[in-house]
């Protein structure tokens, strides 16, 4: 019976521990916090979006996204649903494929995992911080309080640097580097974007359903739709989080990347122009400021008029075709220069991580150190928003646990 020591008691670490124990290993799970699974409680706005039935490999990113394919094939969405159903989680599926527990409580998912760890008799060391890992015949893990733990196999599942208040401070990268592994540059993923401009304090808090797209030299790279929120530093909302990883990758490569926001997205620029001409036909005596009320959020009116250089007091009867055209353009295609993002503190996931070229994709074992495995966010694989990152944690954790037990 091999002794498997797992560093990190998050989603991937707990799944690895359960899998290793079920496949016959003696398991110790080490967690730096006073309890396991702290980050799970925050997922899905406290409801825990634990997988997505519409998953494809296209939902994953990294230097080699196809690396994720093997784990996701061996322990995919169906097996995940079965696993959690057996533990007591009844799934409810939303229109976009997102899966939540029917209780709509993240604590339900954490509770059943904790009960399973207990039921299986897995040794749990909490408030325990691993400072170093060395390998001779066995692995020796050194804890901050001076204790030493020995194991035949080690799984590092410490997470990345996103949400450091949950304990993810990047320590796992240091442990991996000391064991000879390389780290692909890390940066925040699924994070709010900072934009160039001076209007954001004025419009902070304005939310609307729209479409957001990334443009590189006027070529559309990626787009998404949903609720968009202006903030005092730039922009947020689910579509922005989905685009953020791609935007930041281009920024890191020194490229100028633009964000296009369509406040009115159900009409083309030409169709909106025709509609504005029709609409303004009823309002000849109104100022343009008043003429836009009821069409867009009131707090956007003055910043937009300033942007298109139209005097707010100008009577609609005196608007030129060019001015109406400029309004139609900005309402369907408002461009902003992306300057950066919020920090890891605000990010939902870490992009980058341990180089997948150094890991066996079928087993999650290190190609450099026999008996060393990785699982979850620490690896250079990150998913879109919508349950894909937790699915990666379950899949990679299960496969690492299973293979470490042999």
């Amino acid at each position: 019976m091999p002794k498997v020591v797992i560093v990190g008691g998050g989603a991937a670490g707990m799944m690895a521990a359960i899998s290793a124990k079920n496949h016959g290993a003696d398991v110790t799970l080490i967690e730096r916090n006073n309890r396991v699974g702290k980050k799970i409680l925050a997922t899905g706005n406290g409801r825990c979006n634990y997988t997505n039935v519409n998953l494809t490999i296209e939902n994953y990113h990294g230097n080699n996204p196809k690396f994720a394919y093997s784990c996701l094939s061996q322990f995919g969405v169906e097996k995940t649903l079965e696993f959690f159903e057996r533990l007591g989680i009844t799934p409810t599926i939303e229109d976009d494929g997102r899966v939540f527990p029917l209780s709509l409580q993240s604590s339900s998912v954490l509770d059943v995992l904790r009960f399973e760890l207990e039921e299986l008799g897995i040794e749990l060391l909490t408030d325990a911080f691993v400072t170093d890992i060395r390998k001779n015949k066995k692995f020796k893990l050194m804890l901050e309080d001076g204790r030493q733990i020995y194991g035949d196999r080690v799984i590092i599942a410490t997470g990345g640097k996103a949400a450091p208040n949950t304990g993810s401070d990047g320590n796992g990268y240091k442990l991996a580097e000391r064991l000879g592994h390389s780290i692909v540059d890390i940066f925040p993923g699924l994070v709010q974007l900072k934009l160039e401009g001076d209007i954001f304090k004025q419009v902070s808090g304005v939310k609307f359903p729209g479409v957001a797209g990334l443009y590189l030299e006027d070529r559309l790279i990626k787009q998404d739709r949903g609720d968009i929120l202006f903030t005092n530093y730039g922009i947020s909302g689910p579509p922005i989080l989905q685009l953020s990883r791609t935007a930041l990758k281009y920024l890191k490569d020194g490229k100028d990347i633009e964000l296009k926001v369509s406040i009115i997205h159900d009409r083309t620029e030409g169709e909106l122009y025709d509609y504005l001409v029709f609409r303004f036909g009823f309002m000849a005596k109104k100022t343009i400021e008043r003429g836009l009320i009821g069409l867009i959020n009131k707090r956007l009116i003055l910043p937009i008029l300033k942007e298109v250089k139209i005097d707010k007091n100008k009577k609609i009867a005196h608007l030129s075709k060019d001015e109406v055209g400029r309004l139609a353009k900005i309402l369907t295609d408002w461009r902003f220069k992306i300057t950066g993002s919020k920090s890891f503190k605000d990010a939902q996931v870490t992009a980058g991580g341990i180089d997948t070229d150094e890991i066996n994709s079928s087993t999650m074992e290190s190609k450099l150190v026999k008996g060393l495995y990785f699982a979850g966010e620490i690896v250079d694989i990150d998913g879109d928003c919508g349950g894909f990152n937790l699915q990666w944690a379950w899949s990679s954790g299960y496969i690492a646990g299973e293979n470490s037990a042999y």
Side-chain angles (χ1 to χ4, degrees):
M1 185 187 289
K3 169 75 172 176
V4 177
V5 183
I6 298 161
V7 187
M14 285 189 284
M15 179 59 93
I18 292 166
S19 174
K21 186 73 174 184
N22 281 333
H23 286 92
D26 176 20
V27 179
T28 297
L29 178 59
I30 302 176
E31 167 56 42
R32 68 184 299 175
N33 289 313
N34 60 4
R35 60 181 294 177
V36 293
K38 196 172 174 184
K39 199 170 179 181
I40 287 175
L41 293 175
T43 59
N45 290 324
R47 297 189 300 151
C48 195
N49 175 198
Y50 66 98
T51 186
N52 194 304
V53 295
N54 296 334
L55 180 148
T56 73
I57 198 67
E58 303 302 317
N59 295 115
Y60 292 92
H61 314 283
N63 274 4
N64 177 21
K66 288 189 170 65
F67 173 87
Y69 187 81
S70 181
C71 282
L72 293 167
S73 300
Q74 293 178 73
F75 190 85
V77 175
E78 206 169 302
K79 286 189 177 174
T80 298
L81 292 172
E82 284 171 15
F83 172 86
F84 280 103
E85 186 110 46
R86 190 173 51 78
L87 296 190
I89 299 297
T90 301
T92 180
I93 303 170
E94 296 194 346
D95 290 344
D96 58 1
R98 294 173 194 236
V99 184
F100 297 87
L102 193 55
S103 65
L104 297 178
Q105 289 180 297
S106 296
S107 58
S108 301
V109 174
L110 178 53
D111 284 345
V112 299
L113 288 168
R114 283 175 48 238
F115 297 152
E116 187 72 355
L117 293 172
E118 197 178 302
E119 189 103 346
L120 292 171
I122 290 166
E123 183 185 20
L124 202 56
L125 300 181
T126 53
D127 287 316
F129 181 67
V130 177
T131 56
D132 201 6
I133 301 174
R134 293 177 194 165
K135 179 163 189 214
N136 198 347
K137 285 182 180 174
K138 285 183 177 260
F139 286 94
K140 178 166 80 170
L141 295 86
M142 280 146 277
L143 304 189
E144 196 172 40
D145 61 10
R147 283 181 291 170
Q148 296 179 354
I149 310 291
Y150 292 86
D152 303 301
R153 321 262 195 276
V154 166
I155 302 173
I156 300 180
T158 51
K161 288 192 80 170
N165 60 313
T166 61
S168 307
D169 66 353
N171 180 55
Y173 302 129
K174 294 174 190 168
L175 298 175
E177 280 183 311
R178 288 194 198 116
L179 289 161
H181 277 275
S182 318
I183 310 298
V184 173
D185 277 355
I186 59 168
F187 57 93
L190 300 181
V191 69
Q192 306 90 335
L193 292 175
K194 292 183 176 179
L195 305 177
E196 190 175 86
D198 57 5
I199 66 157
F200 299 109
K201 283 185 181 166
Q202 267 179 286
V203 299
S204 180
V206 172
K207 183 168 140 183
F208 56 93
V211 173
L214 294 178
Y215 280 79
L216 185 68
E217 295 167 357
D218 232 30
R219 179 170 58 93
L220 177 65
I221 304 295
K222 191 175 182 181
Q223 72 175 17
D224 204 270
R225 63 180 58 225
D227 284 342
I228 295 170
L229 175 71
F230 280 120
T231 64
N232 59 6
Y233 53 80
I235 200 160
S236 182
I240 303 304
L241 300 188
Q242 293 286 39
L243 298 176
S244 61
R245 193 222 197 268
T246 305
L248 294 174
K249 182 78 173 73
Y250 278 109
L251 272 187
K252 279 177 71 66
D253 293 343
K255 304 278 174 59
D256 283 339
I257 189 96
E258 270 190 320
L259 180 73
K260 168 187 166 179
V261 175
S262 300
I263 293 169
I264 295 176
H265 57 87
D266 56 352
R267 302 173 197 243
T268 64
E269 185 184 332
E271 286 167 346
L272 184 59
Y273 176 87
D274 291 341
Y275 173 71
L276 290 176
V277 170
F278 166 75
R279 175 189 173 88
F280 291 159
F282 305 120
M283 306 177 174
K285 293 181 180 176
K286 282 187 178 178
T287 64
I288 183 59
E289 181 183 5
R290 290 185 178 178
L292 292 174
I293 291 171
L295 181 70
I296 58 174
N297 187 297
K298 270 204 295 193
R299 289 177 56 205
L300 293 176
I301 292 173
L302 292 182
I304 281 174
L305 290 175
K306 185 179 174 187
E307 191 77 14
V308 296
K309 299 182 170 56
I310 299 175
D311 183 342
K312 65 177 182 173
N313 296 313
K314 190 164 192 173
K315 290 282 193 288
I316 285 175
H318 300 149
L319 284 180
S320 67
K321 286 182 179 178
D322 180 61
E323 286 170 325
V324 176
R326 296 205 301 266
L327 278 170
K329 172 77 172 169
I330 198 169
L331 291 173
T332 54
D333 184 352
W334 196 356
R335 299 290 178 105
F336 299 93
K337 184 180 177 184
I338 299 169
T339 57
S341 74
K342 294 284 274 179
S343 68
F344 278 112
K345 184 168 73 70
D346 302 285
Q348 290 183 18
V349 72
T350 308
I354 295 167
D355 193 336
T356 53
D357 285 348
E358 300 168 355
I359 305 171
N360 181 325
S361 65
S362 299
T363 62
M364 295 305 291
E365 185 176 15
S366 164
K367 292 178 181 177
L368 311 181
V369 183
K370 190 165 176 52
L372 175 66
Y373 295 78
F374 299 101
E377 193 179 335
I378 192 169
V379 179
D380 177 28
I381 290 291
D382 58 286
D384 291 333
C385 195
F388 303 106
N389 287 293
L390 271 179
Q391 182 59 60
W392 170 244
W394 311 134
S395 298
S396 58
Y398 185 90
I399 298 308
E402 177 184 21
N403 285 281
S404 70
Y406 299 135

